Amino acid sequence: MRHRIRAAIALAMVTGLALSGCGGGDAAAGGSATLNIVGFAVPEAANKAIAAEWNKTDAGKGVRFKTSYGASGDQSRAVVSGLKADYVHFSVTSDVTRLVDAGLVEESWDDGPNKGIVSSSVVVLAVRKGNPKNIQGWDDLIKPGIGIVTPNPASSGAARWNALAAWGHIAANGGTDAQAQEYLTKLFANVVSLPNSGRDATTTFLGGTGDVLLAYENETILARQNGEELDWVLPATTLLIENPGAILTAADPKAKDWLDFVLGPQGQRQFALTGFRPIIDGVDTSGIEGALDPNNPFPAPQKLLTVQNDFESWSALSKKFFDEKEGIVTKVIAASGKAK
């Protein structure tokens, strides 16, 4: 089973992969549109499931897909450099802003009621089955002998969510910036692997590296759906992960129909089935295979932080935490010696 999941993960990372089983016969016969989806690595399974459902509708009949998945920041830069895309699905808003600045996405892309967000999750602490290190929350991660796997914020949006959640554990509970930075310094001292993307980090952890994986909740659910044995802890304080999606200015007109479906109840149900928390009310979230409780798969944290309420904006936090020279997280990782 482990060989199968790793083969599937490797396949998901291949750029230009055409999604099969999505109305292929009609597309071949009628020459219907092909949409190019460029995304961060984590939602490949969800987008494939949504595509299969959309192909059953009149709007999506016969439409085919070409996809490219990888680390969010890398994918965003690739689109600016010429990678063809009709629709992008990134980990963090700043990766779409890069496309706006390049004139590839309209400035109004996030004006709708969803503010440009298409999928959501929360940061969790994934552990080995049975939780042998007895990890109960953030404070346990800085104890001696705890090996942590988290992706690299230089390339990965998932890594940025993880770092912000760790910071918020201190800052949102009465701590100063100095105390939050001290906590991050201790956390990164325990990091044993800093892969390029959230999906790479999951693969590394499932391969036996480390005691704790900082991860999207949906990554842990998907791993269990694919036969992997792991558990996770929902920390008392965590961060709402909000992943943006946008249509490019030169996109095929079918991309608008696709985005409408993604944001609707059918699209959001497919997100839920692959472990994401729906962004709209009224979506059926029962029977989520792989969740710790399939009929209550998305429990509410004691304290749920958001970018808007706790970090001002992506523009502000990107400068404060992730600036290539002066960012707090950038400096902490550089001092730890863990960056590649």
Side-chain angles (χ1 to χ4, degrees):
M1 181 63 73
R2 289 192 173 220
H3 292 299
R4 289 199 296 271
I5 177 61
R6 291 192 188 108
I9 288 171
L11 186 62
M13 297 297 293
V14 175
T15 60
L17 175 64
L19 295 183
S20 59
C22 301
D26 290 331
S32 296
T34 295
L35 293 184
N36 293 274
I37 295 180
V38 176
F40 70 112
V42 170
E44 191 268 348
N47 285 335
K48 185 172 183 178
I50 295 169
E53 290 302 306
W54 187 52
N55 280 148
K56 298 175 184 177
T57 70
D58 289 341
K61 185 177 181 180
V63 177
R64 293 185 63 84
F65 298 83
K66 289 184 178 179
T67 67
S68 173
Y69 291 97
S72 187
D74 291 346
Q75 293 292 85
S76 174
R77 286 183 283 268
V79 173
V80 171
S81 296
L83 178 62
K84 184 172 176 56
D86 295 291
Y87 167 80
V88 293
H89 184 186
F90 292 145
S91 178
V92 295
T93 295
S94 54
D95 286 336
V96 178
T97 303
R98 180 181 289 113
L99 305 191
V100 175
D101 293 342
L104 299 174
V105 169
E106 297 284 356
E107 290 187 4
S108 59
W109 73 276
D110 58 352
D111 282 354
N114 63 309
K115 303 299 182 183
I117 303 304
V118 299
S119 59
S120 72
S121 191
V122 295
V123 176
V124 299
L125 316 178
V127 296
R128 303 295 172 194
K129 186 177 181 181
N131 196 4
K133 297 287 187 175
N134 194 29
I135 302 298
Q136 299 300 319
W138 290 106
D139 290 339
D140 294 323
L141 302 191
I142 60 174
K143 292 179 178 178
I146 300 298
I148 299 168
V149 177
T150 186
N152 190 338
S155 57
S156 168
R160 298 189 173 201
W161 291 111
N162 294 343
L164 293 173
W167 177 276
H169 160 64
I170 301 297
N173 289 296
T176 64
D177 275 13
Q179 290 170 324
Q181 185 167 340
E182 180 184 8
Y183 175 81
L184 280 184
T185 299
K186 292 178 179 178
L187 185 144
F188 277 98
N190 277 353
V191 167
V192 294
S193 182
L194 207 64
N196 285 332
S197 73
R199 177 52 54 81
D200 287 345
T202 301
T203 305
T204 298
F205 182 73
L206 294 176
T209 300
D211 305 299
V212 181
L213 168 70
L214 303 188
Y216 289 1
E217 178 185 52
N218 57 279
E219 274 287 87
T220 60
I221 292 173
L222 183 63
R224 282 169 50 124
Q225 288 179 353
N226 285 295
E228 296 290 349
E229 294 185 345
L230 79 166
D231 290 324
W232 61 93
V233 174
L234 179 65
T237 298
T238 191
L239 181 63
L240 178 65
I241 296 165
E242 297 177 292
N243 310 129
I247 296 169
L248 275 73
T249 54
D252 186 286
K254 278 290 182 182
K256 176 63 167 59
D257 295 330
W258 160 257
L259 181 56
D260 288 343
F261 190 83
V262 165
L263 295 174
Q266 290 174 283
Q268 290 297 308
R269 170 61 175 170
Q270 295 305 313
F271 272 126
L273 287 170
T274 51
F276 287 89
R277 297 185 175 217
I279 65 166
I280 60 174
D281 294 332
V283 175
D284 180 10
T285 58
S286 63
I288 306 303
E289 180 186 349
L292 297 179
D293 180 350
N295 290 313
N296 182 29
F298 308 123
Q302 292 181 29
K303 182 177 290 188
L304 183 61
L305 311 180
T306 67
V307 166
Q308 182 178 355
N309 293 338
D310 298 281
F311 294 95
E312 187 179 345
S313 68
W314 267 106
S315 176
L317 72 83
S318 293
K319 182 177 181 180
K320 178 177 180 178
F321 294 102
F322 305 113
D323 182 84
E324 291 182 4
K325 294 183 178 179
E326 299 299 324
I328 292 173
V329 175
T330 304
K331 287 183 174 181
V332 166
I333 295 176
S336 75
K338 304 297 173 66
K340 295 180 180 178

